[in-house]
Amino acid sequence: MRDMGSGDDKPLGDPSLGAFDPEERMLDFGEAGSARASRKSSDNAKIVLKRVSGWRSRYEEWRDETSRKLERVDLAPDLAQNIGSGTWFRGLGTMLGLGAVALLLWPDFAPLEARPAMALDEVALDEFRSHMIMPLALGADSGRQMGAGPKVRALEAAPERPQIELVATLGRGDSFDRMLQRAGLSSADASRVQELIGGAIEMEELTAGTRFDIVLGRRVAEGTPRPLDELSFRAKFDLELRVENNDGRLSLRRNTIRVDDTPLRIRGTVGQSLYRSARAAGAPASAVQDFIKALDGQIDLNRSVRSTDEFDMIVAYRRAATGERQAGQVLYAGIERDGEPKTQLMRWGEDGIFYEASGVGEQRNGLIAPVPGRITSGFGMRRHPILGYRRMHSGIDFRARHGTPIVAVSDARVSAAGRMGGCGNGVRLDHGNGLSTRYCHMSRIAASRGQSVRRGQVIGYVGSTGLSTGPHLHYEMYRGGRAIDPRGVRFVRRAQLEGRELVDFRAALARLKEVEPGAALVDLEIRPEEVAEPEREIEKLDNPLQVS
């Protein structure tokens, strides 16, 4: 359409007329215009529109123009692109400027001063100062009277303490002499102390973790080591050694500690778990393990022991007059049912073997597996995996990883150990009565010829030496020099006491069973000569002298 009132033949969309707003309203030109339009309706008359520009249209024009300009300006350019260009330097300047603004606006973390709850004058400040912890640290009582006044002057040099008390611990791999010198002793004092202690005990008996109470005296001259005034430590459970300084000469004093060896007897009901019940009754963990191991070598714990049975355990126990206690190995292991002993085992002899009350020695329920693993090849004829033809497989193969420990299946004596042809590194054990076993393909041997080994003792480690396709254990058993299937052999080992030894064993068992449960837990009665003399005046008030 064209604007008929302007006189110019221009389209409505011409730029000189401004942008056409579809939301602009039609203008009413009065009755004359309406009549003229009505008369020309049949001739397709044109409507004359007049565009009115307001603040809204001008604002939108400015906004569109500004948006187009800002789109052409990159305020945050990628500094990884166009390095060295004007845009890149402008972006670098923007980044540095923003960083400077952030540093200027960095908050201050200085402490805020709070107004005190009360007015503090000089008197109040002196009151607070005198109640500080510093007088306590210096060995004085707290209180206002202990506070230093304004006339107190600091010493130019503090005097040395007359004595220094410290505790030194012997570490693993450390030497006794180095430990003493590290604690502050001179080399002469350390050598003298080592000489004195070496004359009382073997120095090898000093174990790692032994604690030494050391008292060092006043220096003779500035810069010299302090002399040793006293050194004491627990050399044994029943022996205390003390090195004292007597007018410049070091001497040793032995203090023998009274010890009671009454065994500790623990009884209780088996319940759901024998281990947990024994631990709940107060038995040490190591003693419970020995107790269960002793019973397992004699009976089947899963089938022969009921939850209503009672366990009876006697442990070697020592009580010192100074209060220390020490638990040892299990001496007696028993199971009772309905008040009657069902199993009675007592440790006897130098080897520490458990014997039944009848004098029959420890019974071993068959052989144990040499390694923890499944059998991959059985006993009999088979095709050899390396040689390629059928031959007799005179043992069984256990699957195991390289380095797995190999144990003896029963007590034995090592009859051979070393290289054994296709067996590789191997060990042969003689179990007595014509029975022997051999262990092949070891990576390392842990036993030597002529050595006696116990059931479960490590004799080597799994490997792949000799005719072997991979790490495994080849295990053989011989009876009278002839190879047999190890899976078909289960034997027990028993020992029998006779004569005088049997009489002594039964007498010791009777004495052991007379021990009352828990009797060893009572503290020893302190004798008058074992009471230490009070060293401080305040301690003497607890034991006043009786004047008659």
Side-chain angles (χ1 to χ4, degrees), residues 145-454:
Q145 71 278 5
M146 299 305 299
K151 295 184 179 181
V152 175
R153 291 173 298 178
L155 295 175
E156 296 181 359
E160 276 194 343
R161 296 171 57 183
Q163 286 185 334
I164 295 180
E165 299 180 1
L166 52 91
V167 177
T169 304
L170 183 63
R172 187 181 300 275
D174 197 4
S175 67
F176 184 66
D177 183 77
R178 283 200 308 267
M179 187 259 316
L180 294 179
Q181 295 189 35
R182 191 167 57 248
L185 274 72
S186 63
S187 58
D189 286 349
S191 300
R192 178 56 179 165
V193 170
Q194 186 170 2
E195 179 183 353
L196 292 173
I197 295 178
I201 61 172
E202 295 292 337
M203 298 301 296
E204 290 76 12
E205 297 180 4
L206 294 179
T207 59
T210 304
R211 295 165 58 90
F212 298 83
D213 296 324
I214 301 175
V215 179
L216 300 179
R218 193 187 297 274
R219 301 177 192 271
V220 178
E222 185 177 357
T224 60
R226 288 177 175 266
L228 176 65
D229 279 358
E230 184 178 306
L231 181 145
S232 61
F233 71 101
R234 194 70 168 265
K236 298 179 181 179
F237 189 76
D238 57 351
L239 177 63
E240 181 186 23
L241 296 181
R242 185 183 299 270
V243 178
E244 299 175 342
N245 191 335
N246 298 318
D247 298 331
R249 297 184 61 183
L250 297 179
S251 59
L252 179 69
R253 184 161 63 91
R254 301 167 60 98
N255 180 22
T256 303
I257 301 173
R258 183 167 56 94
V259 174
D260 180 75
D261 295 328
T262 302
L264 175 62
R265 188 173 187 177
I266 303 173
R267 295 173 60 92
T269 304
V270 173
Q272 297 292 335
S273 170
L274 177 58
Y275 180 85
R276 293 181 180 178
S277 299
R279 290 286 289 142
S286 58
V288 178
Q289 294 175 0
D290 291 343
F291 176 78
I292 294 177
K293 184 178 180 180
L295 292 177
D296 186 57
Q298 178 71 20
I299 61 177
D300 188 349
L301 292 176
N302 295 326
R303 299 181 180 181
S304 301
V305 179
R306 302 176 184 175
S307 60
T308 56
D309 293 343
E310 294 184 354
F311 64 87
D312 191 0
M313 179 192 315
I314 301 180
V315 183
Y317 201 72
R318 307 181 76 190
R319 294 176 295 166
T322 52
E324 293 83 6
R325 300 171 183 271
Q326 185 182 65
Q329 60 185 0
V330 174
L331 302 178
Y332 173 82
I335 296 293
E336 295 183 2
R337 180 175 300 169
D338 299 330
E340 297 294 333
K342 185 176 183 296
T343 302
Q344 298 184 84
L345 299 175
M346 190 183 77
R347 191 184 298 271
W348 184 258
E350 297 180 355
D351 296 334
I353 299 176
F354 281 94
Y355 288 81
E356 296 180 0
S358 60
V360 177
E362 186 176 2
Q363 177 174 325
R364 303 300 180 91
N365 289 326
L367 304 176
I368 63 174
V371 291
R374 64 183 183 89
I375 297 176
T376 57
S377 182
F379 180 87
M381 296 296 296
R382 68 162 189 176
R383 183 180 182 86
H384 197 279
I386 296 179
L387 301 179
Y389 59 86
R390 289 179 59 83
R391 59 179 291 182
M392 181 64 181
H393 188 229
S394 58
I396 57 178
D397 292 342
F398 286 90
R399 182 178 182 179
R401 293 185 177 181
H402 187 278
T404 302
I406 303 171
V407 300
V409 297
S410 183
D411 297 350
R413 182 183 60 84
V414 180
S415 58
R419 194 75 180 182
M420 300 181 181
C423 177
N425 295 331
V427 172
R428 191 182 186 100
L429 302 181
D430 184 7
H431 302 277
N433 298 324
L435 191 68
S436 62
T437 54
R438 189 169 73 150
Y439 311 79
C440 298
H441 308 309
M442 293 182 178
S443 61
R444 184 158 56 95
I445 297 175
S448 57
R449 183 176 181 180
Q451 177 184 353
S452 296
V453 294
R454 300 296 300 272

Side-chain angles (χ1 to χ4, degrees), residues 455-469:
R455 183 189 192 204
Q457 181 176 337
V458 176
I459 59 174
Y461 299 89
V462 171
S464 185
T465 56
L467 293 178
S468 172
T469 58

